[in-house]
Amino acid sequence: MEQKRKETLRQFEGFLLQEEREASTIEKYVRDAGRYLDWLAGEPPAKENALRWKGCLAAGRYSPSAVNAMLAAVNKLFLFLGQPDSRVKYLRVQRQLFRGPERELTRQEYLRLLNAAQARGRERLALLMESICATGIRVSEVKYLTVEAARAGRAQVALKGKIRTILIPGKLCRKLLKYAQKQKTASGEIFLTRSGKSMSRRQIWAEMKSLCRRAGVAASKVFPHNLRHLFARTFYKACRDVARLADVLGHSSMETTRLYLVSTGAEYLRQLERLGLLC
């Protein structure tokens, strides 16, 4: 049974590779599909079992968004198995109007993280955080920040079956080129490990977390994707154009972009107070 499970997941991984999925997506889909197969304990991966698993997840410690993410992997597994009718519906989640303050990274906190990195001599990390926050790129797109892109002032990103152009501010270009020259990097990726390999998502995440205590910023706010959220909120405040922001972030749907603009509700409360409807 264990051998059959491994073979199914191996072939499922190949199926996802054929779909040209991102490496991080493939890893998560295979992991979540494996959890489902383990839970089945030898029973067939039929729809009725998937519905039972969905109920167990919803009744457990997982958030609705986490449950839906795992269901996405199982639904993809059903497609691979040739059982599209076995796919289950996702949990209905009401759109969030506000974001918990324990998750929102402010500009001041971001600057404290930069100062902490610089104070510890972590030049690469400080510049990496600036690069993500000043352009809004995904952490998986950092590899496209090359010497050539810094010279041109723009990077061509090919991700999720789409190609888009990311503009790099002039000041950031100069910083990137200066750092590359210091590291004796004449071409190619700028952010590399000591062994000359691309920095992994896990490494970037861990390095950022190491700054929390010194910067006085809650660990719940410190992760690469939150820099992208900070960019999105700042960009939107400047232009008030969701469609334009969606293009910059590389989103196919503006609904995804709107999720980035969810705030803690402090600004909304200030607007309510200015209505003057209380005596």
Side-chain angles (χ1 to χ4, degrees), residues 140-210:
S140 59
E141 296 171 340
V142 167
K143 63 184 178 183
Y144 294 101
L145 292 178
T146 62
V147 172
E148 292 79 6
R151 287 176 182 152
R154 59 185 61 203
Q156 291 290 115
V157 171
L159 195 67
K160 297 188 175 181
K162 297 178 292 185
I163 298 177
R164 80 181 197 281
T165 300
I166 294 174
L167 298 180
I168 308 173
K171 185 176 181 180
L172 178 58
C173 286
R174 291 189 292 274
K175 284 188 170 189
L176 290 169
L177 290 173
K178 183 179 179 181
Y179 175 78
Q181 185 178 28
K182 186 176 178 180
Q183 300 299 314
K184 299 181 180 179
T185 303
S187 64
E189 292 181 52
I190 292 175
F191 295 104
L192 299 169
T193 63
R194 290 181 180 178
S195 60
K197 296 180 180 179
S198 301
M199 293 183 69
S200 69
R201 179 192 303 266
R202 184 172 297 179
Q203 181 180 1
I204 296 171
W205 183 89
E207 289 193 15
M208 285 183 62
K209 290 289 186 184
S210 70

Side-chain angles (χ1 to χ4, degrees), residues 175-267:
K175 284 188 170 189
L176 290 169
L177 290 173
K178 183 179 179 181
Y179 175 78
Q181 185 178 28
K182 186 176 178 180
Q183 300 299 314
K184 299 181 180 179
T185 303
S187 64
E189 292 181 52
I190 292 175
F191 295 104
L192 299 169
T193 63
R194 290 181 180 178
S195 60
K197 296 180 180 179
S198 301
M199 293 183 69
S200 69
R201 179 192 303 266
R202 184 172 297 179
Q203 181 180 1
I204 296 171
W205 183 89
E207 289 193 15
M208 285 183 62
K209 290 289 186 184
S210 70
L211 301 174
C212 295
R213 181 173 295 181
R214 184 170 190 132
V217 181
S220 60
K221 299 183 178 187
V222 182
F223 49 94
H225 203 67
N226 232 8
L227 298 175
R228 185 166 148 91
H229 276 266
L230 177 56
F231 167 85
R233 295 197 309 273
T234 307
F235 186 97
Y236 181 73
K237 285 179 182 178
C239 72
R240 295 290 174 180
D241 188 336
V242 176
R244 188 177 175 189
L245 175 58
D247 288 339
V248 171
L249 293 175
H251 289 159
S252 300
S253 168
M254 283 194 290
E255 285 305 310
T256 303
T257 309
R258 288 191 176 95
L259 294 176
Y260 279 60
L261 303 178
V262 172
S263 69
T264 59
E267 184 177 344

Side-chain angles (χ1 to χ4, degrees), residues 77 129 258:
L77 178 66
M129 290 192 296
R258 288 191 176 95

Side-chain angles (χ1 to χ4, degrees), residues 116-132:
Q118 291 161 354
R120 296 181 61 180
R122 310 284 289 279
E123 182 183 6
R124 182 185 65 184
L125 178 57
L127 183 56
L128 176 58
M129 290 192 296
E130 280 191 292
S131 298
I132 295 174

Side-chain angles (χ1 to χ4, degrees), residues 49-83:
N49 286 331
L51 288 171
R52 284 174 46 224
W53 193 58
K54 173 183 174 181
C56 290
L57 292 175
R61 57 184 177 85
Y62 299 104
S63 66
S65 59
V67 172
N68 285 342
M70 286 186 273
L71 291 178
V74 171
N75 283 340
K76 183 63 69 174
L77 178 66
F78 281 132
L79 281 178
F80 159 68
L81 294 173
Q83 301 172 218

